[in-house]
Amino acid sequence: MAREKHTEFITKDILKSSVKGAFQKLDPRYMIKNPVMFVVEAGCLVTLLLTVFPTLFGGKTEYQLYNGIVTGILFITVLFANFAEVAEGRGKAQAETLKKTKKDTTARILDKAGNETVISASQLKKGDVVLVEAGELIPNDGEVIEGIASVDESAITGESAPVTREAGGDFSSVTGGTTVVSDWLKIRITSEPGQSFLDKMISLVEGASRQKTPNEIALNTLLVSLTIIFLIVVVTLHCFADYSQTRIPISTLIALLVCLIPTTIGGLLSAIGIAGMDRVTRFNVIAMSGKAVEACGDVDTMILDKTGTITYGNRLAAEFYPVKGVLKEDLIDYAVMTSLKDTTPEGKSVVELGNTMGTRIDPSAAGQMEFVEFTAQTKMSGVNLSNGMEVRKGASEAIKARVRELKGTIPQDLEEIVTGISKLGGTPLVVCAENVIYGVIYLKDTVKPGLTERFERLRQIGIKTIMCTGDNPLTAATIAKEAGVDGFIAECKPEDKIDAIKKEQAEGKIVAMTGDGTNDAPALAQADVGLAMNSGTAAAKEAANMVDLDSDPTKILEVVEIGKQLLITRGSLTTFSIANDVAKYFAIIPAMFMMVIPQMGRLNIMGLSSPYSAILSALIFNALIIPGLIPIAMRGVKYKPMSSERMLLKNMGIYGAGGIVVPFIGIKIIDLIIAPLVGLMGL
């Protein structure tokens, strides 16, 4: 089960980065991207001019201090809005670590003559050929052009079982940062400088690749429309004031505009989107854009590949099958013997299963054995005993070839046992001592723990799960039942996956697809959300818009909930922001006119001290509420499975009502604090 990595909300480095960024983003070329806050910044510049030249627009010199205070509050409002993108600061801190990793990696580049030169991995260009031997890191993304080797991808995928990489086919793609654990590989680099998977991760966490989603664009349109409407309202109020012979300072009109336009959501909108991408990154999922994260919030159906996603990539020992004429105890002993020094998950599982079945082999005997490691060429491993006996376990064909070479005989029932295990979806490992075959180890394709519960939760939030596999229907049904998916497609071909996705999409559903092979690439591209396993091929990762670094299909649950959080958080804070306007309306409008229209005093339900303290209180509250809501924008509104009607009522009850009540209380408290100071200024 995927777990979120708990990190400190704001570290010293993140705080420093965010504060610096808040000032850098005061550039109008950046601010124009956020129309709401751009209006606030423009208003700040106008009030700054009025502070220096108070009579510029027919005002009075006694308003100079008041104008200066309004300018200061507006400036702080813009800074707070820029600071709200604190998630970007966290992302940049994460990126620094990735950059250091990339910088510290070296490569042995080969020229046409085969001469080696050691250079930094960051200097590699597309088309360069590098040599990587056992124990060395693969310096960058590439394709194997020569050699065959086992590669440890646990640093990326979280799974400890090495995978075989060789020239040609679906297993030729390698990722920078993984380790060659056996033999050697000659790799042609396939990434241009700055375009490797690691580079994309760096770019991603820095926020450089983030795109605005349709939902966010629609919300931006709403905010711009509201801003234009309230701009017209304020201009109209100025006309009403002139008609009623009431002189309203320009700075007051600007303060009114800033308070009425949706500055709260305008200041937090970008932070919400960046925070969504940041949260999935902390789950070890790389989203290619904010759009991918948001789309996850609307997923109805999940199409899942089996191997490596629903099941472990590394298979574990489940049973021992002796050939005819061999005692099971002897098979167990020889199997355990070959695995005492085998540190792979498969090897450890053989020893554990052997111990439960009462093996006679003492673990201390490992010191008297010479361990022969598995290689991609031999497809077997084992031990050489002190008496000269050689014991091996490995692929059926490899062991049979070895036994024939040593003039041994192949048991008649061996093929039957091997075929039977294969039909069950398992992997057979044949065991031999010298030229005698003792039997077969059944390695089961083990379903990842907790899937049943996790898929049940997916059902609760309305997501249907369908498993796709190339296995026969019997094996597929067994795995599907054990995993707890809603359905399965056996003997599945690439076109079958696409057909399944199109069928769901034709019904108006949003479909997520998981996969890792080149044959999954078309389906990953067809799906609304394509989640590729990073252990997969370059084609799969390119086709997808999200990459799961842990190859854990249940992690989609967290990603879906983050997507829903993104949508709900944006809706909740928008509701709160618009509800704010009601309170600020009752704070400012009556205060502006009750001096000349006493009847307006009835609308001063807050009982604010004076027109100027009312305006300043509303303006200060408007500035303070933005950083006050940063934790909600960053962490998201907690999501629980429920109907849309209930969710809407809950949202309106908490953020709608709260958006009205909180400003009333907050503005009143601020008024009580600043009223004496306003009185001292003669306002």
Side-chain angles (χ1 to χ4, degrees):
M1 185 181 298
R3 300 289 186 193
E4 185 174 6
K5 301 173 184 178
H6 295 284
T7 56
E8 191 176 348
F9 181 60
I10 301 180
T11 65
K12 185 179 179 181
D13 290 338
I14 293 172
L15 181 62
K16 182 179 177 182
S17 171
S18 299
V19 171
K20 182 181 178 182
F23 283 93
Q24 290 174 338
K25 292 168 186 173
L26 292 173
D27 187 340
R29 291 172 297 180
Y30 175 86
M31 295 299 298
I32 194 71
K33 298 176 183 178
N34 189 338
V36 177
M37 299 315 301
F38 180 75
V39 169
V40 180
E41 185 176 50
C44 180
L45 293 175
V46 173
T47 56
L48 178 61
L49 283 174
L50 290 171
T51 303
V52 181
F53 309 104
T55 60
L56 185 62
F57 299 114
K60 298 180 180 179
T61 55
E62 64 240 41
Y63 293 139
Q64 189 169 21
L65 179 58
Y66 171 70
N67 294 338
I69 295 172
V70 172
T71 300
I73 298 172
L74 292 180
F75 182 70
I76 292 171
T77 302
V78 177
L79 281 182
F80 281 167
N82 289 342
F83 179 80
E85 298 183 15
V86 66
E88 195 172 15
R90 181 186 289 117
K92 289 179 178 179
Q94 294 171 349
E96 289 303 313
T97 303
L98 293 173
K99 286 177 177 177
K100 186 178 184 298
T101 301
K102 188 173 190 295
K103 184 179 178 182
D104 292 345
T105 304
T106 59
R108 291 195 288 168
I109 190 170
L110 301 176
D111 59 20
K112 293 181 179 179
N115 300 315
E116 295 182 11
T117 305
V118 179
I119 63 171
S120 172
S122 59
Q123 296 177 282
L124 287 172
K125 302 184 297 295
K126 185 177 181 179
D128 286 343
V129 177
V130 298
L131 177 66
V132 188
E133 295 182 341
E136 297 177 347
L137 284 176
I138 295 173
N140 216 331
D141 301 353
E143 297 286 337
V144 178
I145 59 174
E146 189 178 336
I148 179 171
S150 296
V151 179
D152 180 8
E153 298 184 340
S154 59
I156 295 175
T157 66
E159 295 185 14
S160 57
V163 294
T164 301
R165 293 290 183 252
E166 59 186 321
D170 284 348
F171 302 99
S172 62
S173 174
V174 290
T175 304
T178 57
T179 305
V180 174
V181 294
S182 76
D183 307 290
W184 57 271
L185 294 173
K186 192 178 288 187
I187 301 164
R188 179 183 291 112
I189 303 301
T190 56
S191 299
E192 295 284 359
Q195 295 297 315
S196 70
F197 186 68
L198 187 58
D199 288 311
K200 289 177 181 177
M201 288 176 65
I202 294 170
S203 176
L204 173 77
V205 297
E206 287 182 325
S209 301
R210 184 178 173 272
Q211 304 171 21
K212 286 186 177 180
T213 67
N215 185 279
E216 190 174 348
I217 293 171
L219 184 54
N220 256 319
T221 304
L222 173 64
L223 298 184
V224 171
S225 301
L226 288 174
T227 301
I228 294 172
I229 290 170
F230 284 120
L231 184 61
I232 296 171
V233 169
V234 170
V235 172
T236 305
L237 280 176
H238 183 66
C239 298
F240 286 159
D242 285 345
Y243 178 77
S244 62
Q245 298 181 350
T246 303
R247 179 168 291 278
I248 302 176
I250 297 296
S251 53
T252 296
L253 289 172
I254 292 173
L256 173 64
L257 176 62
V258 169
C259 286
L260 291 183
I261 63 176
T263 52
T264 305
I265 186 62
L268 295 171
L269 188 59
S270 183
I272 294 168
I274 294 173
M277 294 181 67
D278 177 70
R279 285 200 294 276
V280 297
T281 300
R282 284 182 280 147
F283 276 107
N284 250 16
V285 175
I286 301 300
M288 302 308 175
S289 69
K291 184 178 180 179
V293 181
E294 186 174 299
C296 285
D298 292 322
V299 168
D300 300 294
T301 304
M302 272 195 65
I303 310 290
L304 304 107
D305 189 32
K306 187 202 72 168
T307 306
T309 52
I310 288 179
T311 60
Y312 283 113
N314 48 298
R315 303 187 171 196
L316 307 178
E319 185 57 88
F320 299 101
Y321 293 100
V323 295
K324 190 175 181 180
V326 172
L327 294 175
K328 188 174 183 178
E329 291 80 3
D330 292 338
L331 169 61
I332 294 172
D333 289 345
Y334 281 121
V336 170
M337 201 180 293
T338 63
S339 305
L340 286 177
K341 289 189 173 182
D342 188 348
T343 58
T344 65
E346 292 90 340
K348 291 178 180 178
S349 70
V350 170
V351 175
E352 290 173 2
L353 183 62
N355 288 332
T356 60
M357 293 187 172
T359 181
R360 295 165 292 188
I361 302 298
D362 191 334
S364 62
Q368 305 170 15
M369 304 174 184
E370 178 192 355
F371 181 62
V372 179
E373 293 187 4
F374 173 88
T375 67
Q377 287 92 346
T378 62
K379 296 187 184 301
M380 66 178 76
S381 63
V383 292
N384 295 331
L385 306 183
S386 56
N387 61 5
M389 179 181 285
E390 297 179 352
V391 186
R392 297 288 187 270
K393 71 172 188 289
S396 173
E397 293 302 320
I399 296 295
K400 286 194 292 185
R402 175 182 173 85
V403 170
R404 290 193 187 100
E405 186 179 337
L406 297 175
K407 311 301 182 183
T409 58
I410 308 300
Q412 293 182 353
D413 59 338
L414 177 64
E415 194 62 35
E416 183 182 346
I417 296 172
V418 170
T419 303
I421 291 173
S422 299
K423 285 183 178 179
L424 292 173
T427 299
L429 280 185
V430 181
V431 178
C432 73
E434 296 294 337
N435 63 353
V436 178
I437 293 176
Y438 281 78
V440 185
I441 305 170
Y442 172 27
L443 296 182
K444 186 181 178 183
D445 197 3
T446 307
V447 174
K448 295 178 179 179
L451 280 183
T452 303
E453 295 79 7
R454 305 282 284 175
F455 286 143
E456 176 59 32
R457 183 165 171 83
L458 284 172
R459 270 189 292 276
Q460 289 176 1
I461 61 178
I463 298 175
K464 180 173 68 174
T465 52
I466 301 173
M467 181 187 77
C468 292
T469 177
D471 291 336
N472 61 72
L474 178 62
T475 302
T478 303
I479 298 294
K481 184 179 180 180
E482 187 176 349
V485 295
D486 297 316
F488 66 90
I489 303 173
E491 299 176 346
C492 187
K493 299 182 288 295
E495 51 267 30
D496 296 330
K497 296 176 183 178
I498 294 178
D499 289 342
I501 293 170
K502 286 182 177 179
K503 181 182 178 183
E504 295 292 323
Q505 290 174 331
E507 297 174 5
K509 297 178 180 179
I510 302 296
V511 182
M513 166 71 192
T514 66
D516 59 357
T518 299
N519 63 332
D520 295 322
L524 288 167
Q526 176 67 38
D528 301 283
V529 177
L531 182 65
M533 305 295 111
N534 192 58
S535 56
T537 64
K541 288 183 283 188
E542 288 296 325
N545 51 19
M546 303 184 82
V547 178
D548 179 6
L549 302 185
D550 296 326
S551 301
D552 180 3
T554 68
K555 196 183 298 179
I556 192 68
L557 176 59
E558 276 85 2
V559 178
V560 166
E561 291 190 344
I562 289 171
K564 290 187 181 295
Q565 277 187 329
L566 195 64
L567 297 173
I568 295 169
T569 301
R570 190 176 291 139
S572 298
L573 294 184
T574 300
T575 303
F576 186 92
S577 179
I578 295 174
N580 263 332
D581 293 341
V582 177
K584 288 180 285 190
Y585 176 89
F586 281 102
I588 297 179
I589 300 296
M592 289 172 57
F593 290 96
M594 65 183 181
M595 296 298 289
V596 292
I597 309 176
Q599 293 84 350
M600 292 287 287
R602 295 178 182 178
L603 296 177
N604 186 22
I605 58 179
M606 296 188 199
L608 302 179
S609 304
S610 70
Y612 294 104
S613 71
I615 291 165
L616 291 176
S617 297
L619 207 56
I620 291 170
F621 176 83
N622 193 67
L624 294 178
I625 196 64
I626 294 175
L629 293 174
I630 286 177
I632 295 177
M634 291 290 295
R635 296 191 176 97
V637 176
K638 190 174 182 180
Y639 171 75
K640 291 183 178 179
M642 65 180 71
S643 66
S644 56
E645 294 83 2
R646 186 182 171 191
M647 188 180 297
L648 178 61
L649 290 172
K650 183 181 178 182
N651 183 59
M652 293 299 295
I654 297 175
Y655 294 94
I660 296 175
V661 174
V662 172
F664 269 85
I665 298 171
I667 292 171
K668 181 60 180 179
I669 292 172
I670 296 170
D671 178 72
L672 293 173
I673 296 171
I674 70 169
L677 301 175
V678 174
L680 290 173
M681 292 187 298
L683 296 173

